[in-house]
Amino acid sequence: MWYARHARRILQERATARGPNGSAGTRSLLVAQLKDAKDTAHVLRSMWALHVTGGVPELLVAGRGPVAAAWTVRLLQDEGKVVPSEELARLTSRNPSPVYRRFVASALARYAPDERWDTLASLASHPEDATDHNLPHLYWYAAEPLAGVDAPRALTLAADAKVPQLLPLMARRIGAAGTPGAVDLLVKSAGESGDAAKQLALLVGLQEGLKGKRQFPMPGGWTAAFPVLLKSASPDVRSRAQALAVVFGDKTAFAALRTVVADAKADAGARTAALASLVDARDAELVPVLHALVRDGALRGAALRGLAAFDAETTPGVVLAGYAAYTPAEKRDALATLAARAPYAK
């Protein structure tokens, strides 16, 4: 390998000094060497030598294996000979190698976003790539700009992909646009999907996209989608749908979430999530519920922190009534809440 690397350097220096016409004899010998190569290592050495002495003749590496095909894509691009997007999509669909897909996914960064659709669809059609350390991320880097080109088509591409990591990422990217049209697209897609896993991915992405927004105009498709999501077999889907209902100002969800919060037998995670949603939405009817939760050891800390968001004369008395029995962490939460408003602090 040491000799091959230094020989390649010398050939490159000579080709640079003599110009393209001066290395014709060398290149003819390298082409013959490439044709006679019996293993991948020698094929690659010949390709790299041809690359540094004037360019790779792409037709010569056909049928030489996935690694050679992958390097062909990269070297041609380095030489400014970008493979047409239609041809790249065709070659990708015919090559089953993950090594080839890795090179192609990296190469897509040099293509305009509207030229990536078919190749990306082919790349994301391999379910075995979902467990790869690199491929899902490379696919996402190539797919992310498509949300700004055609959001509905990009969401369909991610939903149809056999690599599940793409859907929540695409949903988050579209939701982060913050436009009513983008949010409505995600809501309608979640309501129309019969797959609980895809519904959850869409809702997770939508929540991440709307993170930090206490209120958002109710999307046009919410009225039809919400009942469907509430009937989902997944409790996580139902919980997230209710949390989004609060963000959208759907009053029918407020009472349901207050019931979940007050139910001591309900799942602790569901109660905590419901409480966080109601606090974020500044639910006017939540204060009595929070006062009751101060006496509930499971949610006392969350209730103490939540009370800081509401101005109620009775809150200091409720907080201080059980102060002696609080844990150190709960005492810190209580003091932070009492210091959050001037009347409470006094």
Side-chain angles (χ1 to χ4, degrees):
M1 185 176 291
W2 185 92
Y3 284 106
R5 185 167 63 248
H6 284 276
R8 190 159 58 245
R9 174 184 58 77
I10 293 169
L11 290 173
Q12 181 178 10
E13 291 169 353
R14 290 178 179 174
T16 302
R18 297 174 181 174
N21 295 327
S23 60
T26 300
R27 286 182 56 78
S28 65
L29 291 173
L30 289 171
V31 167
Q33 179 176 284
L34 175 60
K35 290 180 178 179
D36 294 337
K38 303 301 182 184
D39 57 57
T40 300
H42 288 97
V43 169
L44 291 178
R45 288 180 185 178
S46 300
M47 289 174 62
W48 295 334
L50 284 165
H51 171 64
V52 299
T53 58
V56 178
E58 60 268 26
L59 296 179
L60 288 178
V61 297
R64 303 310 298 267
V67 176
W71 270 98
T72 301
V73 172
R74 173 174 171 174
L75 295 179
L76 288 176
Q77 287 206 321
D78 288 346
E79 295 165 10
K81 306 171 186 174
V82 179
V83 181
S85 57
E86 299 84 358
E87 178 67 9
L88 186 65
R90 186 184 68 81
L91 292 172
T92 303
S93 65
R94 295 175 56 184
N95 199 315
S97 168
V99 175
Y100 182 79
R101 292 197 292 276
R102 177 164 57 87
F103 275 73
V104 170
S106 300
L108 282 180
R110 302 190 186 186
Y111 288 79
D114 57 1
E115 295 180 339
R116 304 179 188 182
W117 295 102
D118 293 339
T119 304
L120 266 172
S122 180
L123 289 173
S125 65
H126 297 269
E128 65 271 22
D129 291 350
T131 56
D132 189 274
H133 289 293
N134 301 311
L135 292 177
H137 301 290
L138 291 173
Y139 297 166
W140 169 240
Y141 297 152
E144 185 273 335
L146 302 184
V149 176
D150 189 338
R153 186 178 177 186
L155 191 63
T156 300
L157 173 70
D160 292 342
K162 303 299 183 183
V163 181
Q165 292 94 323
L166 293 182
L167 183 56
L169 289 170
M170 186 60 75
R172 178 179 179 178
R173 169 65 176 80
I174 293 172
T179 63
V183 174
D184 190 46
L185 169 64
L186 296 174
V187 166
K188 288 179 64 176
S189 299
E192 293 171 357
S193 174
D195 186 326
K198 290 184 178 180
Q199 287 177 335
L200 181 59
L202 288 164
L203 294 181
V204 169
L206 182 54
Q207 282 186 306
E208 288 294 322
L210 294 177
K211 204 168 189 177
K213 293 182 172 67
R214 294 177 181 171
Q215 293 181 332
F216 193 89
M218 185 182 293
W222 181 251
T223 304
F226 188 40
V228 175
L229 296 173
L230 285 182
K231 295 177 183 177
S232 172
S234 168
D236 205 359
V237 169
R238 298 195 298 270
S239 173
R240 290 180 183 276
Q242 289 176 327
L244 282 168
V246 172
V247 176
F248 296 146
D250 188 342
K251 297 301 181 183
T252 60
F254 281 69
L257 286 177
R258 285 195 294 269
T259 300
V260 172
V261 170
D263 184 1
K265 297 180 180 179
D267 177 71
R271 295 178 72 196
T272 303
L275 180 58
S277 298
L278 291 169
V279 171
D280 286 344
R282 301 297 190 266
D283 177 22
E285 300 180 34
L286 186 61
V287 172
V289 178
L290 291 172
H291 285 173
L293 290 176
V294 170
R295 296 186 291 273
D296 182 341
L299 291 182
R300 181 178 294 135
L304 290 169
R305 293 189 296 272
L307 283 169
F310 301 92
D311 192 359
E313 294 180 359
T314 55
T315 290
V318 172
V319 172
L320 290 170
Y323 185 83
Y326 295 168
T327 66
E330 291 168 349
K331 288 181 178 180
R332 285 194 295 271
D333 289 333
L335 291 173
T337 292
L338 292 174
R341 295 176 180 272
Y344 289 8
K346 291 176 182 178

